[in-house]
Amino acid sequence: MADPENAKEATTLRYAFGNVLSFHSSLDRSSRFLDPSFLCLLIDFQVIKYESVIHEFDPYFNYRVTQFLTKNGIYDFWNWFDDRTWYPLGRVIGGTVYPGLTLTAGTIWWILNSLNIPLSVETVCVFTAPIFSAFASWATYLLTKEVKGAGAGLTAAALLAMVPSYISRSVAGSYDNEAVAIFALIFTFYLYIKTLNTGSLFYATLNALAYFYMVCSWGGYTFIINLIPMHVLLCIVTGRYSSRLYIAYAPLVVLGTLLAALVPVVGFNAVMTSEHFASFLVFIIIHVVAFVYYIKGILSPKMFKVAVTLVVSVGLVVCCAVMAILIALVASSPTKGWSGRSLSLLDPTYASKYIPIIASVSEHQPPTWPSYFMDINVLAFLVPAGIIACFLPLSDASSFVVLYIVTSVYFSGVMVRLMLVLAPAACVMSGIALSESFSVFTRSIKFQLHGLSGSSQVDSGDASSSTVVAQNDAGKAEKTEDTAKERPSKKSKKKEKGIVDKPSLKAKIERRLLVLPFEASIFAILLLVLLGAFYVVHCVWAAAEAYSAPSIVLTSYSHDGGLHVFDDFREAYAWLSHNTEVDDKVASWWDYGYQTTAMANRTVIVDNNTWNNTHIATVGTAMSSPEKAAWEIFNSLDVKYVLVVFGGLVGYPSDDINKFLWMVRIGGGVFPHIKEPDYLRDGQYRIDSQATPTMLNCLMYKLSYYRFVETDGRGFDRVRQTEIGKKNFKLTHFEEVFTTHHWMVRIYKLKPPRNRIRGKTKKPRSKKAQQLEQKEVQLLRGIRGIRPMKLENAKCTVMLILHLPRLWLHFEQELNSEFARMNNRCLLILR
Amino acid sequence: MARSTSKDAQALFNSLRSAYAATPTSLKIIDLYVGFAVFTALIQVVYMAIVGSFPFNSFLSGVLSCVGTAVLAVCLRIQVNKENKEFKDLPPERAFADFVLCNLVLHLVIMNFLG
């Protein structure tokens, strides 16, 4: 136990020194930009602590898709219809998955294998994310270099190399879309800024291609296609229109829309959904503005005024007509053309009111305030300083970065998952702030040193402690005197510009030197380095402790210091794959769908894609119903096994009982006989003796707590911290087939239906069937009177003959329902 | 009022015509090309309105190829125009090479999307 601690401390110190070195390099403006990328790769604790394993849930689906791609080739991948999920509906993988990640990993695997480096697909998948995080760091360097200069670029890249928010989604094993998408995002922004700065059509083409890669990778591409038009509009409105702006924007819209339409997931949504309308609107606006500027250039001012009045009067009428048509079109759709997820971003309360599935995902909840500090740490208060630095002076590029940070802060406040989009913006801003402040301090040190060694410049240096206030923040000028003496690193960075008057040296008049006292500058630089060290320590800690858990394997430390590993999930999936038939269907809550298909290789009913709310509601209803009703539902879906996750024995808090209320809500949203208040006692969710009878009789309760009393005699649930309500009960329609070592995953089998149903059945009987039944009963009574043993054969044949019409009726019914099911399936496929 | 407006319109029209006549011939050729592309796009839209939009991907790729070449030609015109101070360091051959490259990418995508 002591050794790992020491090792961790040693590595922390090493990282701190490494970061200090890179800061020094930014001072010297050397292009050691490989350093930050290397830093990214170093922070890879997950593979060291556990084995090389894929994390979470979504990566398992991506891994399975990549396996299919590498095995069957790209044509089969584009046309793949997966019948092992969403039974009996299936899923069109080719048309519903964002192919960027799988194609990237597949290409890397193919290249390596053709070079005879035999890496397995799993290894390539696990290590795709760290490689692309190194690329993302490089892209951040390029982006910030375009905005402010190489020094800021290096700092920003070093910050991004370690920021916990990005690390959480790019650890080795987190094989999810964001791994490549964030790199594509930053790279697209870099190319856009580069085009804006140079006006070169070549970079505009590259920009469109990078945007295409982003569309392939992630649904968050709508952020780009809305942010860039917003920025163009901002530039036009603030009078910064230039022909470079036109070259940067117009080809991107045309090429970008076409390329987006090429990706099957997006398809015609690229021109039909409201998420893209902003780009078209600004496309029209920029053409109008360009035309106006052109006319202004070739006409005399008087004539131009005439033209304006003429055009305005006529154009206004036409414009109003077009807008009216457009508004009518958009208003005719109930969601105004926006998708559910985008609407929930714009109106954070939308999902909780209308779409409980989106509201139930934990990643879609708003973040708490401490999570900002956890995820971007020191950057949280360096960002405002960076925003100020961007305004001095304001250029097109810096206005873009300011807009980027403002919008990403808003969206990260709506959904905790979007903290990931905030991270690069925060790193860019903080990089700018740190670099500017470093250059201020070092310049003043240089000046002071130069003044001490020289002779005539000393007087003017000391005298001009009169500070000229920074252009923007007159209000904050009072503080500048104090901050020079106090710790400037902990407060916002203020910049002072003192213009030194040296009548003898004219060159120096133009240069703006800073006049901070020598000791204060040294102290400030030391404090900034200390700040960087704190940041590094926090990031390393966060990466090692909080974000390295693969969540498919859990660990805990026992009281004697040993490591205890909970590998129950993989145990359960291995049992499923070894002990069930290949075509058996497994029902569980949608969280485990991807893992079940990937690891256990069995057909599931619902999975994490959550595209069909009704299907999920069916499973939720089954989990909330009593045993017999649940059995009926599952039997109608051909389910053989039901899988339940239970954490009560070991204290695992994300088990199905804790998620149960969401099952009730989602099920109740579609099937009104499931009402949430039935499961709550006085508004409280309980499973102890005070729980409602509906709760104690539902399938989820029974499957979770079956035989739980046998573990400790009183059935104490460690997660809910109570004893369970119903302790000794038997299951009538299910039988337990497997429970893992720590009782975390429990698998049950549906009992087959009984051959003879005694007494009344609930099925509607036709009159003919009823008559047959009566005849059969009479015959049996008659036969029983004689000699049952000897007349066994006769009874059988007689019963068979009598039952034949009923069998035929039943067969016909079955055929009809089968046809109906096939019809539904065909309709869904065609749609 | 109407007469002054129409007289203004006449004066405006004349001044526009005289100002435009002063532009160099190469730029006028590019302008002609832009006009042709937009005209082709309009024809396609009218055809779609008459005949219907199936298959939609072909319609999209046709219209967007016309709009795309128009936009790229305007970019070329901006970069080649001698009155534009921002681009005086850019040799017109480089501008034309960029134009060709971007058109190649555009038409590759169009061919793929045409269906």
Side-chain angles (χ1 to χ4, degrees):
Chain A
M1 190 62 185
D3 272 338
E5 293 265 290
N6 276 340
K8 221 188 286 184
E9 275 185 22
T11 51
T12 316
L13 280 173
R14 207 174 341 129
Y15 288 138
F17 278 124
N19 209 41
V20 169
L21 281 174
S22 73
F23 275 136
H24 266 284
S25 69
S26 79
L27 286 177
D28 297 332
R29 307 238 164 163
S30 57
S31 62
R32 268 180 262 159
F33 63 87
L34 285 173
D35 268 356
S37 315
F38 189 59
L39 275 174
C40 276
L41 285 173
L42 282 180
I43 305 203
D44 197 7
F45 290 107
Q46 181 268 331
V47 177
I48 300 171
K49 280 171 105 174
Y50 310 91
E51 53 177 347
S52 148
V53 75
I54 298 199
H55 290 202
E56 301 269 335
F57 304 110
D58 281 359
Y60 274 99
F61 170 68
N62 294 323
Y63 172 55
R64 181 168 162 253
V65 174
T66 317
Q67 269 182 323
F68 185 87
L69 171 68
T70 52
K71 212 182 297 180
N72 301 39
I74 190 157
Y75 285 107
D76 283 341
F77 166 69
W78 275 138
N79 298 320
W80 184 19
F81 177 77
D82 188 18
D83 55 352
R84 298 194 55 90
T85 66
W86 295 93
Y87 185 84
L89 306 166
R91 178 184 172 186
V92 184
I93 299 272
T96 57
V97 81
Y98 280 98
L101 176 71
T102 49
L103 286 177
T104 310
T107 315
I108 295 177
W109 176 86
W110 181 78
I111 291 176
L112 287 174
N113 267 283
S114 55
L115 290 175
N116 276 331
I117 305 174
L119 284 182
S120 74
V121 178
E122 192 190 3
T123 317
V124 173
C125 290
V126 162
F127 285 101
T128 303
I131 293 175
F132 273 85
S133 71
F135 290 155
S137 182
W138 170 68
T140 312
Y141 163 72
L142 290 171
L143 173 64
T144 322
K145 190 165 84 129
E146 281 301 312
V147 177
K148 266 295 178 178
L154 280 173
T155 326
L159 289 174
L160 186 83
M162 288 185 289
V163 65
S165 157
Y166 184 43
I167 284 198
S168 69
R169 302 297 286 217
S170 71
V171 286
S174 170
Y175 183 57
D176 206 355
N177 289 337
E178 287 91 351
V180 294
I182 297 296
F183 161 66
L185 181 87
I186 306 176
F187 200 57
T188 311
F189 285 154
Y190 157 65
L191 286 171
Y192 172 67
I193 298 292
K194 184 89 180 180
T195 319
L196 199 54
N197 282 342
T198 59
S200 153
L201 200 56
F202 172 65
Y203 280 107
T205 319
L206 286 182
N207 187 18
L209 290 174
Y211 173 66
F212 174 52
Y213 184 52
M214 179 70 191
V215 174
C216 283
S217 309
W218 197 30
Y221 75 90
T222 50
F223 181 62
I224 298 187
I225 204 62
N226 282 305
L227 183 64
I228 292 186
M230 235 195 286
H231 175 245
V232 169
L233 205 58
L234 180 74
C235 282
I236 291 175
V237 162
T238 55
R240 302 184 74 93
Y241 171 78
S242 66
S243 42
R244 286 173 290 120
L245 190 70
Y246 181 84
I247 295 179
Y249 183 64
L252 172 70
V253 169
V254 179
L255 260 179
T257 310
L258 268 172
L259 286 166
L262 270 185
V263 181
V265 178
V266 178
F268 297 145
N269 286 343
V271 291
M272 306 235 275
T273 53
S274 298
E275 282 131 3
H276 294 86
F277 280 170
S279 58
F280 300 140
L281 190 68
V282 177
F283 185 65
I284 295 174
I285 290 178
I286 199 175
H287 275 94
V288 169
V289 169
F291 192 61
V292 164
Y293 271 91
Y294 172 67
I295 296 288
K296 198 177 196 179
I298 64 173
L299 282 181
S300 64
K302 185 175 71 87
M303 284 276 89
F304 181 64
K305 242 182 252 176
V306 167
V308 163
T309 43
L310 207 65
V311 164
V312 163
S313 51
V314 171
L316 214 60
V317 177
V318 174
C319 217
C320 286
V322 168
M323 287 300 282
I325 297 176
L326 203 67
I327 289 176
L329 270 176
V330 164
S332 60
S333 91
T335 58
K336 314 277 178 287
W338 292 87
S339 77
R341 285 218 177 126
S342 309
L343 264 177
S344 65
L345 274 180
L346 292 176
D347 171 19
T349 59
Y350 178 79
S352 48
K353 277 187 272 175
Y354 298 108
I355 318 177
I357 279 198
I358 294 183
S360 74
V361 181
S362 66
E363 287 179 325
H364 292 178
Q365 308 302 325
T368 55
W369 283 112
S371 69
Y372 275 95
F373 194 71
M374 168 75 168
D375 273 349
I376 54 175
N377 206 36
V378 159
L379 311 183
F381 55 81
L382 283 178
V383 159
I387 296 180
I388 296 174
C390 277
F391 277 97
L392 315 161
L394 186 68
S395 67
D396 291 339
S398 55
S399 69
F400 175 75
V401 190
V402 169
L403 197 63
Y404 177 26
I405 186 101
V406 167
T407 48
S408 56
V409 164
Y410 170 72
F411 285 125
S412 73
V414 175
M415 248 193 219
V416 74
R417 183 179 189 182
L418 295 178
M419 291 278 296
L420 186 59
V421 175
L422 173 65
C427 291
V428 168
M429 278 301 176
S430 319
I432 291 174
L434 277 176
S435 164
E436 290 295 307
S437 53
F438 260 115
S439 69
V440 163
F441 295 130
T442 50
R443 227 182 300 161
S444 62
I445 288 179
K446 249 192 227 175
F447 174 70
Q448 301 285 7
L449 276 177
H450 192 60
L452 282 174
S453 62
S455 47
S456 56
Q457 292 100 348
V458 182
D459 326 312
S460 39
D462 279 347
S464 41
S465 48
S466 60
T467 57
V468 176
V469 173
Q471 289 151 358
N472 284 359
D473 298 304
K476 295 185 186 166
E478 305 91 50
K479 280 187 160 184
T480 50
E481 310 272 50
D482 310 329
T483 55
K485 295 284 186 287
E486 290 171 6
R487 303 175 184 197
S489 60
K490 294 296 182 195
K491 306 219 167 50
S492 344
K493 313 275 176 306
K494 320 281 185 285
K495 275 177 60 184
E496 307 170 337
K497 285 197 190 119
I499 302 180
V500 183
D501 303 311
K502 290 185 190 163
S504 52
L505 301 157
K506 281 193 183 167
K508 290 251 167 99
I509 294 173
E510 257 114 54
R511 271 183 65 208
R512 296 197 219 132
L513 292 176
L514 276 132
V515 248
L516 291 172
F518 182 66
E519 293 81 13
S521 311
I522 298 264
F523 190 52
I525 287 191
L526 279 174
L527 284 173
L528 279 184
V529 168
L530 203 65
L531 189 75
F534 279 139
Y535 175 68
V536 171
V537 165
H538 171 85
C539 294
V540 168
W541 169 83
E545 294 303 319
Y547 289 133
S548 279
S551 91
I552 187 146
V553 175
L554 306 160
T555 58
S556 77
Y557 290 97
S558 55
H559 40 258
D560 56 352
L563 187 71
H564 200 79
V565 175
F566 298 84
D567 212 359
D568 286 44
F569 287 103
R570 296 200 287 180
E571 188 187 343
Y573 299 132
W575 184 91
L576 269 179
S577 86
H578 287 302
N579 292 296
T580 60
E581 306 287 320
V582 177
D583 282 329
D584 283 343
K585 282 70 176 165
V586 178
S588 66
W589 192 232
W590 59 260
D591 284 350
Y592 316 107
Y594 281 158
Q595 284 182 342
T596 312
T597 41
M599 281 198 275
N601 196 24
R602 293 289 173 266
T603 312
V604 291
I605 305 293
V606 287
D607 70 12
N608 307 53
N609 192 29
T610 64
W611 66 268
N612 191 333
N613 193 29
T614 313
H615 219 50
I616 296 183
T618 313
V619 173
T621 311
M623 295 294 193
S624 326
S625 313
E627 256 193 274
K628 185 151 171 27
W631 185 94
E632 298 276 336
I633 296 178
F634 280 141
N635 198 33
S636 75
L637 289 171
D638 294 343
V639 171
K640 203 71 172 304
Y641 295 91
V642 178
L643 187 147
V644 159
V645 170
F646 172 61
L649 184 65
V650 292
Y652 174 61
S654 332
D655 64 350
D656 281 355
I657 288 283
N658 270 354
K659 295 178 195 167
F660 179 61
L661 272 185
W662 283 112
M663 300 188 201
V664 171
R665 283 181 198 135
I666 295 175
V670 179
F671 299 96
H673 65 269
I674 304 281
K675 301 188 214 16
E676 193 182 340
D678 288 346
Y679 296 84
L680 306 170
R681 167 80 67 190
D682 301 330
Q684 257 200 339
Y685 177 56
R686 333 163 63 113
I687 43 97
D688 53 10
S689 50
Q690 295 297 314
T692 57
T694 331
M695 181 71 214
L696 291 175
N697 277 322
C698 73
L699 186 73
M700 181 52 71
Y701 179 91
K702 285 197 168 170
L703 293 188
S704 293
Y705 294 116
Y706 179 61
R707 292 193 314 115
F708 186 50
V709 171
E710 295 171 17
T711 55
D712 62 350
R714 38 181 205 115
F716 184 75
D717 184 343
R718 288 224 174 95
V719 180
R720 267 62 61 177
Q721 298 285 324
T722 58
E723 287 188 12
I724 57 177
K726 199 149 104 169
K727 302 195 187 185
N728 297 296
F729 55 90
K730 285 208 182 348
L731 294 174
T732 53
H733 289 74
F734 294 83
E735 57 176 337
E736 183 186 5
V737 284
F738 187 65
T739 299
T740 57
H741 186 176
H742 301 101
W743 286 53
M744 277 171 63
V745 183
R746 311 193 67 182
I747 305 181
Y748 294 83
K749 188 172 175 174
L750 262 70
K751 279 190 183 161
R754 296 157 88 163
N755 277 331
R756 264 192 334 157
I757 304 169
R758 285 162 168 250
K760 272 202 188 153
T761 58
K762 291 209 180 103
K763 274 207 249 173
R765 327 278 259 86
S766 62
K767 220 165 180 211
K768 211 175 178 185
Q770 270 177 342
Q771 283 171 349
L772 272 174
E773 170 113 66
Q774 281 178 347
K775 261 199 209 160
E776 173 207 345
V777 167
Q778 277 176 348
L779 198 66
L780 276 175
R781 284 205 190 123
I783 291 177
R784 224 180 267 144
I786 309 174
R787 285 273 288 269
M789 293 293 276
K790 274 196 187 164
L791 287 169
E792 197 65 38
N793 279 341
K795 186 165 76 169
C796 285
T797 41
V798 163
M799 277 181 65
L800 189 66
I801 294 167
L802 277 179
H803 276 279
L804 224 62
R806 193 163 65 156
L807 280 174
W808 178 250
L809 270 170
H810 186 247
F811 184 53
E812 218 173 75
Q813 266 180 9
E814 274 293 303
L815 265 181
N816 279 336
S817 63
E818 189 61 34
F819 272 129
R821 253 186 279 173
M822 265 171 45
N823 246 351
N824 279 338
R825 225 183 299 186
C826 291
L827 277 173
L828 277 155
I829 292 170
L830 281 173
R831 201 179 302 156
Chain B
M1 173 69 183
R3 179 149 324 161
S4 73
T5 322
S6 71
K7 230 202 271 186
D8 281 339
Q10 279 272 25
L12 177 68
F13 189 61
N14 285 332
S15 69
L16 268 176
R17 218 182 12 184
S18 60
Y20 188 66
T23 56
T25 327
S26 55
L27 294 184
K28 280 197 201 154
I29 294 178
I30 298 180
D31 290 339
L32 202 62
Y33 178 65
V34 171
F36 164 70
V38 172
F39 179 61
T40 317
L42 280 174
I43 292 183
Q44 290 187 36
V45 171
V46 169
Y47 179 75
M48 187 272 287
I50 296 174
V51 169
S53 72
F54 183 81
F56 193 58
N57 55 326
S58 314
F59 164 67
L60 256 186
S61 62
V63 169
L64 282 178
S65 83
C66 295
V67 173
T69 52
V71 162
L72 291 176
V74 171
C75 291
L76 175 68
R77 187 191 199 274
I78 290 172
Q79 289 184 327
V80 164
N81 197 355
K82 295 206 184 29
E83 291 167 20
N84 225 332
K85 297 291 173 292
E86 283 170 346
F87 291 104
K88 61 177 163 48
D89 295 329
L90 189 72
E93 289 80 16
R94 168 73 198 266
F96 188 68
D98 286 342
F99 170 72
V100 167
L101 173 73
C102 210
N103 262 312
L104 271 176
V105 172
L106 176 71
H107 285 94
L108 185 68
V109 176
I110 297 286
M111 286 299 148
N112 193 9
F113 197 48
L114 208 52

